[in-house]
Amino acid sequence: MKNHQITIIDIAHTLNLSKSTVSRALTGHPNVKVKTRERVLELAAELDYQRNQLAISLLTNRTQTIGIMVPEFLSSFFPKVIIGAQDVLAKAGYNVVICHSNESYETEIINTKLLLASRVDGILVSHTKETRNFEHFKTVDRKGIPVVFFNRIVDEMSVSKVAVDDYEGAYQAVEHLIKTGKRRIAHLSGPDSLQNSRSRLNGYRDALTNHQIPIDPALIISYDLTLDKANIYVNHLLNLPQPPDALFAINDPTAIEALKVIKSRGLRIPEDIAIVGFSDDPISALIEPGLTTVSQPVDEIGREAARLLLNQLAADDERPEPELVVLPTRLIIRGSTVTGENPTGFADQTSLPSF
Amino acid sequence: MKNHQITIIDIAHTLNLSKSTVSRALTGHPNVKVKTRERVLELAAELDYQRNQLAISLLTNRTQTIGIMVPEFLSSFFPKVIIGAQDVLAKAGYNVVICHSNESYETEIINTKLLLASRVDGILVSHTKETRNFEHFKTVDRKGIPVVFFNRIVDEMSVSKVAVDDYEGAYQAVEHLIKTGKRRIAHLSGPDSLQNSRSRLNGYRDALTNHQIPIDPALIISYDLTLDKANIYVNHLLNLPQPPDALFAINDPTAIEALKVIKSRGLRIPEDIAIVGFSDDPISALIEPGLTTVSQPVDEIGREAARLLLNQLAADDERPEPELVVLPTRLIIRGSTVTGENPTGFADQTSLPSF
DNA sequence: CATGATTTTGGGAATGTTCCCAAAAATATA
DNA sequence: TATATTTTTGGGAACATTCCCAAAATCATG
């Protein structure tokens, strides 16, 4: 008696109807007498009846729920992606369950099983930096539940993916530094396990090579994206016998950490050392100097990933062809690489041409 | 046939057992022959069996899932709260579904129904700025599903709540401005619908009154928290015949927007006009000058809210007494109110005494 | 080798809903 | 009024699982 939720049968009993009729009335089935439907709807509203989605999902084997798993939650990137995806999915009648793996491989596996147990209809994933074995995602795929990767994508799985043109973004960033006269350009790279980290490194390399600048391995540091380590590595770079005159960082938080270190050592930005980040975090336009960065269409990444997932769900045939979407990046030039006009990022910088 | 998930019955058939025995083996019931249990577990692992949580939830009427609804997602505040809550809830064996109402009353109602339909065991809420009617939450409460409010709390409902001491935080912030010699202190306040907005306004008022500074209604502007409007109101304040010499903003994004406007008009901060925010957003330590702000224990708000919810869920008796937790705030002094040492926020400022 | 005790297994109900098919009621037609 | 047709309603099965109770199998004891 206590804590009993109103069911279709409760309504049926009080109205002297069968559960079938009540069900029909509530779902809008045509074969119900108008008067009956009214009585049912009225009582349902009065009792605050809420259909039990669990029972329906059990019956139909579809939960109308999508799981989104992200490795972290504190930078603005993933929340924005989630908002974009959620918007598209909600319009298609899907709910969203958000998991965060906290950059932990173990947690990622647990979350995957959880999503599987709660029978989500599909999963959007950006995997952790620790993930090198993708067996848990392959299991999901094998069960016929579509998986779409975004941002951090996986070469070895044949599923839909959304990425930005990391290579091109990095290439343009480094080329920009070269054109401002920099020659010893360091790269604070991400872990080798991340595909986008590798692509950005390749873009960095090729930009240098194509401009006849030798690659100095001492200037390339790959790290695990924890900011305290970034601090250490930046200091290390600055202490080199031949310190760099520019730094291309894997992402904006890293670049901002570098900027703090460099300022605290009394070096001038960009004269002594220029900095470029990646992602155009909102914070990057507010700090001083404004951070030059490679912006990516964050919201659109989420929307596109959701669309690809819906494509997989909508398809009638067994297993539709996976799609790969690569979105463009755009270099945003601010005071951390160029002096003069707009040294702070405070004024909005919508479309400065890369010179 | 296609897309069929492995069930307990599939396992039972292949092993010539009954579903009961398989169920017992999988759930760790003692009355199963060791050999049998081994056979079952082996086959389950081989087939990637995942228990169907839907069926269990339907049976037990408990989903082990908590819904968290927040009004927005882009500032760092709510993601941090969610992480805190999720940590506590996960350790207690609960899953988390995150909804964001996007500051829309309509969306909030839809989300509430959705959470009800998916039979969450409890709900953590920070309501939208539009919400003035709480009937949808009262319905949840009436159904015996515990609701806990955090950050934006509701006086008219007798449920557990977590807040910070908004009054005291605001009082200290304004008192700090007065002690630095400011006299015309403006307040860019939030909408009257939010309890914390009202408390901060009261703190502001009382601080002025207790220091024999008359309250000038022209210096108090209540707005809807959309940043473009903040821009307009700050300009309005600066254009007054007697412009303010300090500004206390309802939150850090508002304060930062104000800071941008003030800097772009060539005024000096804090000499011409000092600024104080609320929340200590990570960005506030990075901008120039660093933003003086009232910090709140964001992570702890989430953890505490989760704990209060677990208290409600754990209780055996009908309806345990609701609890109210008020967490302390702390004034963080940076360059936007004080010149001299540490004018930028770049160095970490852990415990500067308020003088 | 019976008999009783214990361990192990199987069968059915229950959870809340939808859908199909049949039954009943209402309506139309002769 | 009787029959045919349509509209409306009711009764089950199905979904995957757990739990209770009974049945079967195993074991121990005299």
Side-chain angles (χ1 to χ4, degrees), chain B residues 119-264:
Chain B
R119 293 295 192 269
V120 292
D121 293 342
I123 299 183
L124 297 180
V125 185
S126 197
H127 64 83
T128 81
K129 66 189 180 194
E130 296 177 357
T131 311
R132 282 145 204 282
N133 179 339
F134 297 92
E135 205 46 50
H136 49 304
F137 294 130
K138 289 179 185 166
T139 300
V140 177
D141 188 43
R142 250 182 263 119
K143 284 176 185 286
I145 295 165
V147 181
V148 172
F149 287 94
F150 63 93
N151 179 247
R152 301 180 179 180
I153 66 179
V154 180
D155 287 335
E156 69 183 270
M157 284 183 67
S158 170
V159 298
S160 289
K161 299 162 195 171
V162 178
V164 298
D165 196 340
D166 293 291
Y167 174 89
E168 186 61 25
Y171 191 100
Q172 284 181 15
V174 174
E175 193 168 53
H176 165 66
L177 287 170
I178 295 169
K179 290 192 179 170
T180 61
K182 303 298 185 179
R183 284 299 173 271
R184 282 190 64 71
I185 301 171
H187 180 33
L188 206 38
S189 169
D192 193 51
S193 57
L194 300 182
Q195 184 272 343
N196 56 7
S197 174
R198 296 195 300 271
S199 295
R200 290 175 199 176
L201 178 57
N202 288 338
Y204 161 85
R205 280 213 167 94
D206 287 3
L208 290 181
T209 305
N210 290 352
H211 288 82
Q212 285 81 43
I213 299 177
I215 289 166
D216 182 350
L219 294 183
I220 301 176
I221 296 179
S222 163
Y223 91 115
D224 68 358
L225 305 180
T226 58
L227 289 185
D228 47 339
K229 295 233 182 79
N231 191 306
I232 293 170
Y233 290 129
V234 172
N235 271 306
H236 165 78
L237 285 169
L238 296 176
N239 289 337
L240 286 177
Q242 284 198 302
D245 56 10
L247 172 65
F248 170 47
I250 178 74
N251 57 25
D252 278 9
T254 304
I256 291 166
E257 189 67 21
L259 195 140
K260 289 204 271 184
V261 172
I262 290 165
K263 279 181 85 165
S264 74

Side-chain angles (χ1 to χ4, degrees), chain B residues 7-8 20 23 27 49 51-52 55-56 59:
Chain B
T7 77
I8 218 173
S20 313
S23 171
T27 52
Y49 167 80
R51 69 212 293 253
N52 189 334
I56 300 170
L59 198 60

Side-chain angles (χ1 to χ4, degrees), chain A residues 3 48 50 53 74 80 86 95 100 114 117 119 139 142-144 263 283 286 288 318 346, chain B residues 2-3 48 50-51 53 74 80 86 95 100 114 117 119 139 142-144 263 283 286 288 346:
Chain A
N3 223 2
D48 282 321
Q50 281 293 333
Q53 188 58 47
L74 287 174
K80 276 188 185 166
Q86 199 167 30
N95 277 96
H100 76 121
L114 238 44
R119 294 295 194 266
T139 301
R142 250 182 262 120
K143 284 177 184 287
K263 279 181 84 162
I283 211 171
L286 297 176
E288 209 149 323
E318 268 301 295
F346 273 2
Chain B
K2 61 162 186 171
N3 223 5
D48 281 321
Q50 281 294 333
R51 69 212 293 253
Q53 188 58 48
L74 287 175
K80 276 188 185 167
Q86 199 166 29
N95 278 95
H100 77 120
L114 237 46
R119 293 295 192 269
T139 300
R142 250 182 263 119
K143 284 176 185 286
K263 279 181 85 165
I283 210 170
L286 297 175
E288 207 148 328
F346 272 0

Side-chain angles (χ1 to χ4, degrees), chain A residues 65 86 95-99, chain B residues 63-70 82 86 89 94-100 114-115 118 120 122-124:
Chain A
T65 301
Q86 199 167 30
N95 277 96
V96 167
V97 178
I98 300 164
C99 304
Chain B
T63 53
Q64 295 293 111
T65 301
I66 301 299
I68 304 182
M69 179 146 53
V70 297
I82 291 171
Q86 199 166 29
L89 292 171
Y94 283 91
N95 278 95
V96 167
V97 179
I98 300 164
C99 303
H100 77 120
L114 237 46
L115 291 174
S118 56
V120 292
I123 299 183
L124 297 180

Side-chain angles (χ1 to χ4, degrees), chain A residues 226-299:
Chain A
T226 59
L227 289 185
D228 46 340
K229 295 233 182 81
N231 191 306
I232 294 170
Y233 290 130
V234 172
N235 272 306
H236 164 78
L237 285 169
L238 296 176
N239 289 337
L240 286 178
Q242 284 199 303
D245 57 9
L247 171 65
F248 171 47
I250 179 74
N251 58 24
D252 278 11
T254 304
I256 290 167
E257 189 66 21
L259 194 140
K260 289 204 269 183
V261 172
I262 291 165
K263 279 181 84 162
S264 73
R265 288 174 65 133
L267 295 169
R268 292 166 306 159
I269 302 171
E271 293 84 352
D272 297 325
I273 180 161
I275 310 177
V276 180
F278 206 111
S279 271
D280 195 24
D281 195 286
I283 211 171
S284 303
L286 297 176
I287 55 172
E288 209 149 323
L291 180 66
T292 294
T293 184
V294 180
S295 89
Q296 33 182 342
V298 187
D299 180 81

